[in-house]
Amino acid sequence: MARIAMTPPMGWNSWDCYGAGVTEDIVKANADYMASKLKNYGWEYVVVDIQWSVASAVNHEYSQFSDFCMDEYGRLIPAENKIPSSAGGKGFKPLADYVHSLGLKFGIHIMRGIPRMAVYNKCKVLGSFEGKEYMASDAANAYDICEWNPDMYGIKTDSPASQLYYDSIFKLYAEWGVDYIKIDDIARDYPVKEVEMVAKALKNSGREMVLSLSPGPAKLEEAEHLKTHANMWRITDDFWDQWELLYAMFERAEKWCTHSGPGHWPDADMLPIGALRMDYPEGKHETGFTEEEQKTMFTLWCIMRSPMMMGGDMVHNDEFTEKLLTKASILEMLTKGRSSHQVYKRKENDSEVIVWSAVCSEGGKYLAVFNTGEKDAEFSVSLEECEVEYFVKSLDLWNEKEITVSDGILKACVKSHGAACYKFY
Amino acid sequence: MARIAMTPPMGWNSWDCYGAGVTEDIVKANADYMASKLKNYGWEYVVVDIQWSVASAVNHEYSQFSDFCMDEYGRLIPAENKIPSSAGGKGFKPLADYVHSLGLKFGIHIMRGIPRMAVYNKCKVLGSFEGKEYMASDAANAYDICEWNPDMYGIKTDSPASQLYYDSIFKLYAEWGVDYIKIDDIARDYPVKEVEMVAKALKNSGREMVLSLSPGPAKLEEAEHLKTHANMWRITDDFWDQWELLYAMFERAEKWCTHSGPGHWPDADMLPIGALRMDYPEGKHETGFTEEEQKTMFTLWCIMRSPMMMGGDMVHNDEFTEKLLTKASILEMLTKGRSSHQVYKRKENDSEVIVWSAVCSEGGKYLAVFNTGEKDAEFSVSLEECEVEYFVKSLDLWNEKEITVSDGILKACVKSHGAACYKFY
Amino acid sequence: MARIAMTPPMGWNSWDCYGAGVTEDIVKANADYMASKLKNYGWEYVVVDIQWSVASAVNHEYSQFSDFCMDEYGRLIPAENKIPSSAGGKGFKPLADYVHSLGLKFGIHIMRGIPRMAVYNKCKVLGSFEGKEYMASDAANAYDICEWNPDMYGIKTDSPASQLYYDSIFKLYAEWGVDYIKIDDIARDYPVKEVEMVAKALKNSGREMVLSLSPGPAKLEEAEHLKTHANMWRITDDFWDQWELLYAMFERAEKWCTHSGPGHWPDADMLPIGALRMDYPEGKHETGFTEEEQKTMFTLWCIMRSPMMMGGDMVHNDEFTEKLLTKASILEMLTKGRSSHQVYKRKENDSEVIVWSAVCSEGGKYLAVFNTGEKDAEFSVSLEECEVEYFVKSLDLWNEKEITVSDGILKACVKSHGAACYKFY
Amino acid sequence: MARIAMTPPMGWNSWDCYGAGVTEDIVKANADYMASKLKNYGWEYVVVDIQWSVASAVNHEYSQFSDFCMDEYGRLIPAENKIPSSAGGKGFKPLADYVHSLGLKFGIHIMRGIPRMAVYNKCKVLGSFEGKEYMASDAANAYDICEWNPDMYGIKTDSPASQLYYDSIFKLYAEWGVDYIKIDDIARDYPVKEVEMVAKALKNSGREMVLSLSPGPAKLEEAEHLKTHANMWRITDDFWDQWELLYAMFERAEKWCTHSGPGHWPDADMLPIGALRMDYPEGKHETGFTEEEQKTMFTLWCIMRSPMMMGGDMVHNDEFTEKLLTKASILEMLTKGRSSHQVYKRKENDSEVIVWSAVCSEGGKYLAVFNTGEKDAEFSVSLEECEVEYFVKSLDLWNEKEITVSDGILKACVKSHGAACYKFY
């Protein structure tokens, strides 16, 4: 296992705010923001999402049969109208260089497989196997397509052309200086052999890159294979700013929490907060989550140690969003939390309470108390039941102040859909 | 309902003997044979099966991403190396003319949908809708592909381009003089709207053509829609010369028998007898069915009134096969049988007996007695149980002689896997 | 196969009008009615339905853990408060004698299995096997109970006590002079070995009795076993006077129609017409079916050759009901119909039409035209499509008059939910 | 939540060694053994398993319809031939007193529901509700039976008689001095309302008793309800001395591990070791597990914090078994382990390795390394991957000696089917 992603990756991804229409200017503006305001808190990856090779893709819709920017080997390259610095065959190298110059890391999105257009355009595959050269049609599997994107064929798992093609694209990404690959249409149905080819191509590239699998839900019975072949994988379908989706994440988080660890992270998906859907002309751009819900999301992601990828256009962050992204007392759990899990979920005081705990690697314990019901409520949490033992200090992490606990019962006042979080040590 | 296929269609199809590699010479040779030896017995359709537009397809394998012969409107045309008379844009017209000159009818196979290659080659669709012209990409649905053949995209059911495309191909087939269309990848999953488009395109063409849907199994709950939109539809997956498949047909036949009638025929698939698999160089060409099994197949197909499409290369017919195809006493049930159904299926005398009956349109009844067990046996069939009443004459149809029945019990000696067949009137 | 039920049984059953509360007076009154008014039309069986051994059961509800009238061998006997003539151990013999004196036949309902109470009361089983005697607990299977009635245990299929017990009850029924056994909780899940035991016990009794299995839906894949072990079996769950249930019967009838024949009849359940639910004090007793719906029901049951068991209290028949039960022109199909099946089901003229046909054993054909849509409509029925051929006479069977057909098209005006029926010969 | 079972219950249960035939002598002998040899290691519950009220039950078979010892209120009482001290209506009180006199605790097995025999014997239910008295038949549900035991009816959840009956039996158990109730036929299908009635009756009894639910597998989605209504619940069907069952427990343990905590314990079932199946006259009494497999079982049960119920007849313990039961270095994890979970499962060195970790409540971490493959092997375990941090001491717990770890890689030599276990602090 490569020694990357030893803690959950943190960064920004362009999908939630710009869909398939992101451009170089936007990426740079967000990278600048991250470098100046967030870098000290652990944020580091800047990731360009889907269809950067399609000149005509400008929003959250995929058009069928669009023209790709592609090299002679069927490898997708950035569309110049979107990524002007890529002109002259330079690909993402100039943009990656820029991001690196800020002390950050650079990532891109790709689809599993090989472009259908590469097949019908009769592209060659770069390189050779045992002296033999191949065509895109040798790698493509005409019967394997994505259910929600029309661009690619899956690969034939028994053809040497397939590994050659994957090697050729990861080699290109390494040349560009990419640090993070989000590969799509691969985590849900989980084509085991293709995942292994991808992991091998990444290794063959000679460059360390975080490997992130989408979309979810991944299957729990694949957990051990996922842990040895990828650095993060989605545990849900696309997550957006709706309470129902956030509430449903608790159950997913509970199922997957024991599989978090250095190098392998169940991924609760991007944080749809701040300024979203910028391509919807008349749309409501601000997140649909209340402030309480955002605290709930932040607390859950941090205590379960999910990767944290900001989804909003950070240039438009309001004060609340910026404070959230720099809440060090909560973010601390991402690096110091261990063995987190749900302690219980109960109806209490006309509302519903969910309690999570995590061990602190430096000693002590974290407790998170979520009010998932529809009423503000005070909950009584038995420290004995939570196995919180041997502590001398008690902190309220959101309010950053000490508290006192009598008779082993923590009294937590939590607003509806909100969260409280504590540290005992 | 068109007045065609008023009795079950009878003919020859090239798949079982030549797969995707059939040529004009072979078609003509079989048509000649049919005209001289079988026409008087009701045989009339000569059908060219799959990939006649692919120059490189020569046997039962489909290659992925092969080049099609196609006109500027994305309509497939015969490959000249296979159908030389099609040269100069004449399509199947010369071959159809030849078949017609013999007093026979001509049919072709097509796949549901539009060629993927037509999309990537940016073909136009012929004609216009409300003054607007369309491209192949307007008709093709990038998410709808066939599971076992890599050539086509299914169509978008909500685009005017789709009906235009179907109209354009049926118009071409009408110009060629085609009498029978076997359309594939459509009967099993049964895309209702696409079936309706196909039926409408056939009607729009102005020519009467038998419409045959493949492959099966079709779904029983679609029976009424099938009866009003097609002339025949497959009730099983591909049928070959194995006893297990023949045995399984009894259950299918029983389920579907009440849906046979003028213009609409549940189809038990081609008859894999005589000389098969001619493209397998070292293969065993003769059918794997014993003579008894062939009699069983023939009897069941005729009493259930399935279409009868000969699968073997008739030029190589042996004497037994020729006699079978001209057995008028059995073939009579195809035109005179009515209301056929299974009477019973039982263990009897260490073997298993299945009895079918049909009414004769001119009065009287047919009885078929099948020995589906592993031992030769004599079965006692109660005429009262079979509701055979008021008759004066009893015929053994395979042996073409009169029999006597005492005490209302028919004694039928039938070899293992064989059949006997009777007429009482 | 016994030579009984050579045509579909016709009769009366007490369930629809009196539930578990029927008494001797009611039975006699209905038998008298049948003898004087219906016998000439083929009606002959008078059947006493469930819980005749439970003194306290008075309506359509089963009480749990009620006391049974039972002999020392765990055999249920009639409760004297309900069947006074049974006093002194005479069982159903006096009532059966009375019914026989009218020229009719007598039937009773039983539950599959052995009374739970017989087990806990430590009853012996009558008779012995290989010199050994048994207890009710040797026959009862503690793990096999009915889902909707609390009275019985199913039997152990591997204990000699089980066949002994079944033999003992059928022997008793033979002594009483019973002609018809409706056995319940057996047709749906279909315990094959128990069915075979029941059929054997019936045979061992030495008396011919119709064997009727309830409740449905029976499974189509058991058709051949049913045909050799029972005379009739239910093809649906309980049928009542609601259009939705009647409409659903068309699909069942279509599936089962090929399995009708001498001695074995798929059973569409009792006719819920006339005076029903007499135990509901404030209830609406008259049937919920319109007159048109009753004609539809009658036509379908007759053309498919279902057993016909009147469910209403016939003493209260109104004029319409009495005319229906004596409609000889329609009832004729029960005895003369052959090979009936659905010809088609279609949307037509803003309504829906279903057409059935049957062959007449004396030559000719029956056609039934059902309007299952919500509007009165005229339907055009092609006689060629229905394979009606070679006739000289055309009768409208409900109106009992000749009709004329031009150009092979029958014009049938049918009210919504109604039926027309024709004979061509 | 009652303050009992704050750590996983430890004890002995009679089922594995004596089935339904356990007697007072056997119970006392095992209690004596426990008091003298095991008590200091945490073992304390002595539990009498099924059918102690059935005089004739003597082995692992249940007979159907056997006579129960029962009081006038339908409450089962011990059979005197088995529990002689119960004579004179004293029930289990004298035996419980004996066990208590040894400083141990006493438990019994019961089946969910009310005896079928209580219904047919017309027993009354003790007590009254709103001035009204009830019969057993008011509580019993004739349609709710156990699939594998013939004794009981489930209860009607909507009848006051049901809570009355449960109250009456738990009151009796409290009077007897019972400390532990194993209730059967309740954890798998999980009748929620009946579970709540049982928990309420236990509370109403005024005595603290451990509530243990059988058999499994319980459903993961019921976890939160289980945690608030029971102290332990089975996570598998019956567990016996076969490697396949032990191997399958790893997957169950992984799924359930986050639900362990004070008062609520997922239960991996009894330990089938030592002398088993004593009622099988010619049987093999010693456990089928190898010594390595027993170490694996012990390690897994302790690190996951399952209840530990010895299944063998302890009087016949051999030296290995006695040492196992007193292995304090491993048993320590039951009380000090926290947040245990599977770290990974992998193919390695031609074998398969599973690694579990747990936090120690006093600081430090436990690691267990299981060789679940078919070959002895040395595994390399990365402490960083296991998040083992900040330690100064490393112990091998089975061998009770210090070890050294170089470069953060623990080298674990483990025999096939065996286990190693470590503590770092």
Side-chain angles (χ1 to χ4, degrees), chain B residues 3 259 338 384 389, chain C residues 3 254 259 338 384 389:
Chain B
R3 287 187 46 84
H259 296 291
R338 300 286 183 273
E384 182 174 32
E389 302 147 316
Chain C
R3 287 187 46 86
E254 187 199 358
H259 296 291
R338 301 286 182 271
E384 182 174 34
E389 301 147 318

Side-chain angles (χ1 to χ4, degrees), chain A residues 263-293:
Chain A
H264 47 85
W265 308 101
D267 175 8
D269 204 5
M270 295 172 287
L271 308 167
I273 56 178
L276 307 171
R277 294 169 285 258
M278 305 301 279
D279 57 313
Y280 287 42
E282 306 121 11
K284 172 182 156 297
H285 300 320
E286 64 271 32
T287 182
F289 281 139
T290 65
E291 294 191 356
E292 291 302 322
E293 289 165 349

Side-chain angles (χ1 to χ4, degrees), chain C residues 384-402:
Chain C
E384 182 174 34
E385 190 176 353
C386 297
E387 300 190 303
V388 171
E389 301 147 318
Y390 312 116
F391 62 91
V392 295
K393 209 163 169 187
S394 324
L395 284 185
D396 174 329
L397 295 179
W398 277 107
N399 295 310
E400 293 175 13
K401 62 174 187 195
E402 281 203 58

Side-chain angles (χ1 to χ4, degrees), chain D residues 227-264:
Chain D
K227 282 152 83 169
T228 46
H229 290 85
N231 300 113
M232 48 192 278
W233 56 88
R234 291 267 303 281
I235 62 173
T236 63
D237 201 344
D238 281 14
F239 178 71
W240 281 99
D241 45 338
Q242 297 164 9
W243 169 250
E244 294 70 26
L245 297 177
L246 178 49
Y247 181 68
M249 196 66 77
F250 282 92
E251 197 182 327
R252 306 271 185 190
E254 187 199 0
K255 270 171 55 178
W256 279 99
C257 63
T258 61
H259 296 291
S260 289
H264 48 84

Side-chain angles (χ1 to χ4, degrees), chain B residues 252-383:
Chain B
R252 306 271 185 191
E254 186 199 359
K255 271 171 53 179
W256 280 98
C257 64
T258 60
H259 296 291
S260 288
H264 48 84
W265 308 102
D267 174 10
D269 204 5
M270 294 172 286
L271 308 167
I273 56 177
L276 307 171
R277 294 169 287 259
M278 304 301 281
D279 57 312
Y280 286 43
E282 306 121 11
K284 172 181 155 301
H285 299 320
E286 65 270 31
T287 182
F289 281 137
T290 64
E291 294 191 355
E292 292 301 322
E293 289 165 350
Q294 292 181 64
K295 285 169 67 181
T296 286
M297 181 187 69
F298 228 71
T299 308
L300 178 61
W301 267 235
C302 287
I303 199 166
M304 75 174 278
R305 306 182 81 196
S306 170
M308 299 281 279
M309 301 300 287
M310 171 63 180
D313 185 350
M314 298 190 294
V315 178
H316 298 91
N317 274 352
D318 58 17
E319 193 188 328
F320 178 83
T321 307
E322 185 179 331
K323 278 206 178 154
L324 202 60
L325 296 174
T326 56
K327 191 69 179 177
S329 57
I330 298 295
L331 291 168
E332 168 189 319
M333 295 190 290
L334 287 172
T335 48
K336 298 189 185 167
R338 300 286 183 273
S339 302
S340 69
H341 66 93
Q342 182 174 307
V343 183
Y344 61 79
K345 173 182 179 175
R346 282 181 205 153
K347 303 291 174 199
E348 192 174 323
N349 283 348
D350 287 336
S351 198
E352 185 186 69
V353 59
I354 297 179
V355 175
W356 276 66
S357 76
V359 173
C360 176
S361 66
E362 297 167 348
K365 269 208 168 168
Y366 300 101
L367 276 194
V369 181
F370 301 97
N371 183 345
T372 50
E374 299 307 311
K375 286 203 177 165
D376 301 350
E378 185 190 73
F379 302 116
S380 296
V381 180
S382 154
L383 295 189

